[in-house]
Amino acid sequence: MSAPSDARSRGWLYDGQSAIRHEVNVLLLDGRLVIEGHVTVALADLERIDASGLLLGRRDVPGWRLGIEDAPPALIAALPQPPRLGGWLDRIGLWRAAIVLAVLSALTVVATIWGAELAARSVPRSWERKLGDAMTGDFADDACVTPAGQAALDDLARRLSPPGDPMRVKVVDVPIVNAVALPGGQILIFRKLIDEAKSPDELAGVLGHEIGHVEKRHVMVALVRRFGLGLLIGTTGGSSDYAQALLEARYSRSAEAEADDYARWAMRAAHISPLATAGFFARAAKERRSEPGVFAYFASHPAPDDRQRAFAEAAARKAKVRPALNPAAWAAVRSICAGHKRPTITQRLRF
């Protein structure tokens, strides 16, 4: 055992047992800190609490605090070093901390993506249908309905829908080229999209794509990601907010591809050629380049050039086809908004 150093330092101590402050002298002896009149503490049991002063704590005694006021260099060098980054960062090191944070960030992203999908796909169809009905109700004054036009749309939607689960389609009198899928199997088509379509086959392609979004639950996933779980318990947003969110929705590339895949599958099953839809996309791409903003539908969808190519390739595969609607039914759809009073909906929604 070495002799105690003469370099005693003044300090103060809270022993963790009482709130009494003790004025003490401390000195270093054989790797231990001697606190005169109190217990001797191994240096390994001490930890530096502050970064600049000499405030020490004990890992094994909560509330134990020792402040040293005039420590010589030898004592300072022997004491634990002050924290550089923060408690747990110092314990595991900077690089390990960076790896841990990177893993946690990745897990957070995965949880956000998959959590939203799992939550959306767990929503009962009956609840989803009620939400869709509420959102459709906001467009009630803008809806165009004629018996013949609606019957033609219903027939086309039934042929493009999954077996036994026909989607409901409405036309709203809004002068933009757009369509939107709502929860619960409802599709809104804006009037100008029908005006721009050259044939019912073109309309069938767009309608099939939107039905694909509903069928694959992309609509609910988009809403849950935007509004969180508050959507499911009714604490965030209203039906008009949800409709606006869907108008602005940017589905993932994989979701858009799934919806297009569904559209081509449904058209093939309904014996409707995808060639006209390819032409619709080609024309839209050309017009969008010359007159941005006219085709709002494509602002939230993949590049129409790519979609035109995919539908054209599908059309190259020989199959028995027939028009999506006969001339009389198509005429009824084209004129469905003819007698409707022009809406004020653009004042409520942002396009």
Side-chain angles (χ1 to χ4, degrees), residues 99-114:
I99 293 172
V100 169
L101 290 174
V103 171
L104 290 176
S105 298
L107 290 175
T108 300
V109 172
V110 170
T112 300
I113 295 174
W114 286 100

Side-chain angles (χ1 to χ4, degrees), residues 155-163 167 201 203-213 215-216 258-274 277 311 314 317 320-322 324:
D155 176 63
L156 182 58
R158 178 187 56 75
R159 292 164 55 200
L160 294 171
S161 297
M167 305 290 166
D201 290 7
L203 177 63
V206 174
L207 182 57
H209 177 86
E210 297 302 325
I211 291 175
H213 279 315
E215 175 62 13
K216 302 297 182 182
E258 282 185 339
D260 270 356
D261 288 345
Y262 176 89
R264 290 190 291 273
W265 171 84
M267 295 177 78
R268 184 167 59 253
H271 303 292
I272 299 172
S273 171
T277 305
F311 277 80
R317 294 188 285 271
K320 181 180 179 181
V321 296
R322 57 188 171 91

Side-chain angles (χ1 to χ4, degrees), residues 48 50-55 68 82:
R48 287 282 288 273
D50 62 339
S52 57
L54 276 178
L55 179 61
I68 303 177

Side-chain angles (χ1 to χ4, degrees), residues 105-188:
S105 298
L107 290 175
T108 300
V109 172
V110 170
T112 300
I113 295 174
W114 286 100
E117 293 211 12
L118 290 173
R121 296 180 192 285
S122 66
V123 174
R125 290 283 189 178
S126 57
W127 189 94
E128 189 177 343
R129 184 175 291 270
K130 290 180 180 177
L131 178 60
D133 289 343
M135 295 167 67
T136 306
D138 289 343
F139 294 89
D141 293 338
D142 311 294
C144 301
V145 180
T146 63
Q150 191 61 51
L153 286 172
D154 290 343
D155 176 63
L156 182 58
R158 178 187 56 75
R159 292 164 55 200
L160 294 171
S161 297
D165 188 20
M167 305 290 166
R168 293 172 289 170
V169 183
K170 290 185 181 299
V171 176
V172 290
D173 196 356
V174 178
I176 64 171
V177 182
N178 209 344
V180 60
L182 303 180
Q186 303 205 47
I187 312 292
L188 294 182

